[in-house]
Amino acid sequence: MKLRFTCVLLLFAVVCCYVSCKKTTDKPVNKNPIDYAALSKQIVFTLQQSISGKYGGTNINDGIKAPAHISASHTGPALFSVNALCGFSIDTTYNTTATAGDTAKTFFGNFKFVYTCSTGNPDGYAVHDSLINTETGPLFSDSFTTAQDYHVQALDQTYKLVSMNGYLFSLTKNALTTGYKNVYIGYKLQGLTVDLSSGTADITSGTALLNITIDQQQAGWPDNEVTMQSGTLVYLGNHMAKLTLELSNGSSQSYLVNLLTGQVTQI
């Protein structure tokens, strides 16, 4: 499983290397400047959707347990008063399909989930997975690739408040929706605090460091226009997040994103 996950990370590295090389080629004048407000919204909600299982894998809203469709259960006494789920892992591949209206969805990939314990009972988990989600309809075909390597730890006895640390990588191939051929986002999660008391994950504090690559190939363009940049996503509480993008020209732009409504405001 570790080898498979490493291969996915190498794939993302190859993507970044490729688009870096493309920057040295002759490119057309960018007739469609990047909509940074829309990009900010995509960055924030891609993270939210990834940890909530939209692209397959673990849904943080389910609490301290594995996904229902690939979970394991334990009954009976615990050996030497230690819960047998402590350290228990699920390491598998899966392939599922679903249909919603006229849209066909497919989830497949590699999945590893490990229960962690700090008090003799499961109070956290580690996720290591690489997932591909495709959505196909009459007029579109989208692909989302996600690699996740993070740890969730309960912060109280109710398990309704948890922390998240680790890494998440997303590659979206979705030209019709975003206007771009490929959007790669790498997140380094640092001390995210997630409140699950409402039944829906609400990230109230913490930081995610970002690496972003945008492939702006569009219909009629003779070559790709590739932009690479970095950024910082800070969660402020009250369903708000601040995103600061460090642009390739040396300037920066900052936006406030409402996590409930999706409203984006430049600051």
Side-chain angles (χ1 to χ4, degrees):
M1 179 62 208
K2 182 177 181 181
L3 177 60
R4 293 196 297 266
F5 187 77
T6 301
C7 290
V8 172
L9 301 189
L10 288 175
L11 171 63
F12 280 113
V14 169
V15 171
C16 290
C17 180
Y18 167 76
V19 295
S20 296
C21 293
K22 295 291 288 183
K23 291 182 69 178
T24 64
T25 64
D26 294 331
K27 295 181 284 292
V29 176
N30 188 348
K31 300 177 182 179
N32 295 282
I34 296 172
D35 183 342
Y36 285 108
L39 177 62
S40 298
K41 180 178 178 180
Q42 180 179 351
I43 289 170
V44 172
F45 281 89
T46 294
L47 173 57
Q48 195 89 11
Q49 292 166 344
S50 295
I51 66 174
S52 298
K54 175 177 172 54
Y55 306 129
T58 304
N59 182 352
I60 194 171
N61 298 300
D62 292 338
I64 308 296
K65 62 180 181 180
H69 62 288
I70 45 179
S71 64
S73 60
H74 169 74
T75 58
L79 183 63
F80 302 121
S81 298
V82 176
N83 194 305
L85 283 179
C86 293
F88 185 85
S89 66
I90 302 167
D91 192 345
T92 186
T93 60
Y94 71 98
N95 189 326
T96 62
T97 59
T99 301
D102 59 359
T103 300
K105 298 184 178 183
T106 301
F107 302 90
F108 60 95
N110 304 308
F111 178 86
K112 184 174 183 179
F113 180 102
V114 182
Y115 285 103
T116 60
C117 302
S118 62
T119 61
N121 290 302
D123 58 2
Y125 59 82
V127 172
H128 310 273
D129 58 28
S130 53
L131 313 164
I132 298 177
N133 167 219
T134 63
E135 297 184 358
T136 304
L139 300 177
F140 67 92
S141 179
D142 302 337
S143 174
F144 308 90
T145 301
T146 302
Q148 302 178 120
D149 183 12
Y150 61 80
H151 180 239
V152 172
Q153 176 65 46
L155 296 177
D156 63 10
Q157 294 182 345
T158 70
Y159 293 3
K160 296 299 184 181
L161 193 67
V162 303
S163 66
M164 290 188 67
N165 290 278
Y167 298 87
L168 190 149
F169 307 87
S170 171
L171 176 62
T172 304
K173 297 181 179 180
N174 187 6
L176 287 178
T177 302
T178 65
Y180 310 126
K181 180 180 179 182
N182 300 306
V183 177
Y184 161 83
I185 311 170
Y187 305 83
K188 181 179 181 181
L189 312 179
Q190 297 183 320
L192 299 190
T193 298
V194 187
D195 186 349
L196 305 173
S197 58
S198 68
T200 302
D202 177 19
I203 306 176
T204 59
S205 65
T207 301
L209 304 181
L210 308 170
N211 284 297
I212 307 151
T213 301
I214 305 167
D215 181 352
Q216 294 176 261
Q217 181 178 2
Q218 298 176 344
W221 283 51
D223 196 4
N224 296 355
E225 176 76 16
V226 174
T227 301
M228 301 178 66
Q229 45 214 201
S230 60
T232 304
L233 175 60
V234 179
Y235 289 90
L236 307 175
N238 296 317
H239 309 292
M240 298 296 296
K242 177 184 177 182
L243 178 64
T244 300
L245 295 172
E246 305 296 336
L247 308 186
S248 55
N249 62 7
S251 65
S252 64
Q253 292 186 17
S254 295
Y255 298 87
L256 287 177
V257 182
N258 188 306
L259 304 177
L260 294 179
T261 66
Q263 180 179 353
V264 180
T265 305
Q266 185 171 3
I267 57 176

